[in-house]
């Protein structure tokens, strides 16, 4: 078992970049489906972070892996509910443009 | 994982490259179907990184749940709402882009600085549980993480019921005014969207 090979920082940087791409997509997408995809990207970045720490810092108890399983579960629930909300929005507005979902704007 | 160091580095570099390029494609490509397929590629590469981190169970769960369920669900959603529409021009689009890009780059530089400057306490690799991690996850799930595990099942049930309630169409079997049974196809055809062109 040689963990000196890939530094922990490599995984952390990859997950930081993935998270920032997700935030950019979340802020800039006008298609609601793409917004959901960006959220999934961000959740994956968080998972990658948890897994990297659990392998390098907590490699015997691996509680990070258990946490990332829970994150995957919540992500699945979130995707299902998010897409259902999207479908019902589309049924009422006939568009998926984020700029037209402004019912809560005052 | 018992493969040579060079191989590990090559795998890590290739997977990271696929993740970053794929994620950029997901947010930047015009065609949303390409985005969805690239998202599947990103999920698979993240599963590959999990294998590099000795977590075969989570890698399998990632492939099953993300690629098998979430990505397919997203593709179905794209299929259901796929309408070519010309987006209305937006005010201050360029300045919005500029501000959000600045925020993202600032956040990225902050995160990378934290990643590189903090010295993490790396645990002794000889204590690593290695490929027995599936057994350890099972022990965790049925001892100290039992309550979250059970709550997760309730959450999934709630999400399932909520998704069904949100996505279903209301079907009337009787006409409200006359009480006679109605032709469902007529309702489907005359079903006008409720909220368009209100303002």
């Amino acid at each position: 078992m040689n963990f000196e090979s890939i530094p922990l920082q490599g995984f952390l940087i990859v997950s930081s970049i993935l998270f920032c791409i997700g935030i950019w997509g979340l802020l800039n997408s006008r298609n609601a489906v793409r917004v959901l995809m960006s959220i999934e990207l961000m959740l994956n970045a968080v998972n990658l972070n948890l897994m990297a720490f659990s392998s390098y810092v907590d490699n015997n108890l691996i509680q990070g892996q258990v946490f990332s399983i829970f994150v995957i579960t919540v992500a699945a629930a979130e995707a299902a509910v998010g897409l259902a909300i999207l479908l019902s929005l589309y049924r009422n507005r006939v568009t998926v443009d984020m700029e037209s979902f402004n019912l809560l704007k005052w | 994982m018992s493969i040579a160091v060079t191989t590990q580095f090559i795998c890590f570099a290739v997977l990271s490259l696929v993740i970053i390029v794929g994620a950029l494609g997901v947010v930047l490509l015009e065609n949303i179907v390409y985005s969805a397929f690239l998202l599947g590629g990103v999920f698979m590469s993240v599963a590959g990184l999990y294998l590099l981190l000795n977590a075969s169970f989570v890698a399998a769960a990632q492939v099953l749940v993300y690629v098998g369920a979430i990505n397919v669900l997203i593709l179905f959603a794209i299929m259901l709402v796929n309408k070519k529409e010309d987006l209305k021009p937006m005010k201050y689009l360029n300045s919005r882009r500029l501000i959000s890009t600045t925020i993202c780059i600032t956040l990225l530089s902050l995160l990378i600085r934290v990643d590189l400057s903090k010295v993490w306490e790396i645990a002794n690799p000889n204590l690593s549980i290695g490929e027995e991690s599936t057994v350890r996850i099972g022990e965790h799930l049925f001892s100290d993480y039992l309550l979250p595990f059970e709550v997760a099942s309730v959450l999934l049930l709630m999400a399932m019921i909520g998704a069904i309630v949100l996505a279903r169409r209301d079907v009337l079997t009787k006409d409200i005014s006359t009480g006679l049974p109605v032709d469902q196809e007529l309702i489907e055809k005359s079903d006008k969207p409720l909220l368009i062109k209100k303002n």
Side-chain angles (χ1 to χ4, degrees):
Chain A
M1 203 68 55
N2 184 4
F3 263 131
E4 303 303 311
S5 51
I6 304 171
L8 170 63
Q9 279 82 1
F11 288 97
L12 296 185
I13 287 172
V14 171
S15 87
S16 308
I17 295 173
L18 192 57
F19 189 77
C20 287
I21 293 173
I23 287 186
W24 195 89
L26 188 70
L27 293 175
N28 278 305
S29 303
R30 295 193 63 184
N31 191 328
V33 183
R34 207 188 293 268
V35 170
L36 285 171
M37 289 191 208
S38 306
I39 294 174
E40 299 301 331
L41 283 182
M42 287 162 67
L43 283 166
N44 260 287
V46 171
N47 262 343
L48 190 56
N49 228 337
L50 282 172
M51 299 290 293
F53 277 121
S54 98
S55 268
Y56 282 86
V57 182
D58 181 30
N59 60 7
N60 192 34
L61 282 177
I62 52 167
Q63 307 199 38
Q65 298 196 12
V66 185
F67 263 88
S68 59
I69 286 173
F70 287 128
V71 173
I72 288 176
T73 316
V74 175
E78 173 260 318
V81 176
L83 290 169
I85 291 174
L86 180 67
L87 277 188
S88 111
L89 268 176
Y90 180 74
R91 201 170 291 147
N92 290 326
R93 289 261 171 164
V94 202
T95 178
V96 282
D97 184 8
M98 289 303 281
E99 290 299 311
S100 64
F101 302 148
N102 50 8
L103 273 177
L104 284 180
K105 211 175 188 175
W106 66 87
Chain B
M1 187 156 291
S2 52
I3 48 177
V5 178
T6 326
T7 325
Q8 279 192 37
F9 264 105
I10 293 170
C11 289
F12 177 73
V14 170
L15 289 171
S16 310
L17 199 70
V18 171
I19 286 175
I20 292 165
V21 173
L24 282 174
V26 168
V27 297
L28 291 177
L29 281 183
E30 282 294 314
N31 192 336
I32 192 136
V33 182
Y34 295 163
S35 295
F37 280 106
L38 274 178
L39 190 69
V42 172
F43 290 157
M44 291 296 278
S45 320
V46 173
L49 281 189
Y50 291 169
L51 284 181
L52 272 184
L53 287 168
N54 267 329
S56 41
F57 179 76
V58 186
Q62 164 96 5
V63 172
L64 283 176
V65 176
Y66 272 106
V67 185
I70 294 183
N71 209 11
V72 172
L73 202 63
I74 286 175
L75 277 172
F76 267 103
I78 292 171
M79 205 170 70
L80 286 172
V81 301
N82 196 7
K83 197 182 69 168
K84 286 271 174 290
E85 56 181 322
D86 297 320
L87 297 175
K88 273 180 282 178
M90 234 163 68
K91 273 199 285 185
Y92 316 119
L93 184 64
N94 284 329
S95 51
R96 283 193 194 192
R97 284 262 154 88
L98 189 69
I99 292 170
S100 56
T101 312
T102 319
I103 289 172
C104 287
I105 290 174
T106 317
L107 181 65
L108 181 63
S109 51
L110 180 75
L111 285 175
I112 287 181
R113 193 186 141 76
V114 172
D115 289 345
L116 293 179
S117 60
K118 172 95 172 88
V119 181
W120 307 103
E121 254 179 66
I122 304 293
N124 184 3
N126 297 325
L127 290 177
S128 168
I129 192 152
E131 281 152 35
E132 302 285 304
S133 61
T134 311
V135 179
R136 180 55 58 87
I137 289 172
E139 287 167 12
H140 275 307
L141 282 183
F142 284 98
S143 57
D144 44 353
Y145 287 98
L146 184 62
L147 180 66
F149 183 64
E150 299 293 340
V151 172
S153 64
V154 179
L155 173 81
L156 285 175
L157 180 69
M158 279 161 56
M160 188 176 78
I161 296 173
I164 291 171
V165 169
L166 281 170
R168 69 174 225 168
R169 234 173 240 273
D170 285 327
V171 179
L172 301 175
T173 50
K174 279 187 202 163
D175 194 315
I176 296 173
S177 52
T178 60
L180 296 170
V182 287
D183 188 359
Q184 294 300 327
E185 285 184 25
L186 279 181
I187 292 183
E188 291 277 319
K189 276 174 201 154
S190 66
D191 191 11
K192 286 259 173 57
L194 302 171
L195 295 172
I196 41 171
K197 294 215 180 110
K198 252 197 170 167
N199 36 4

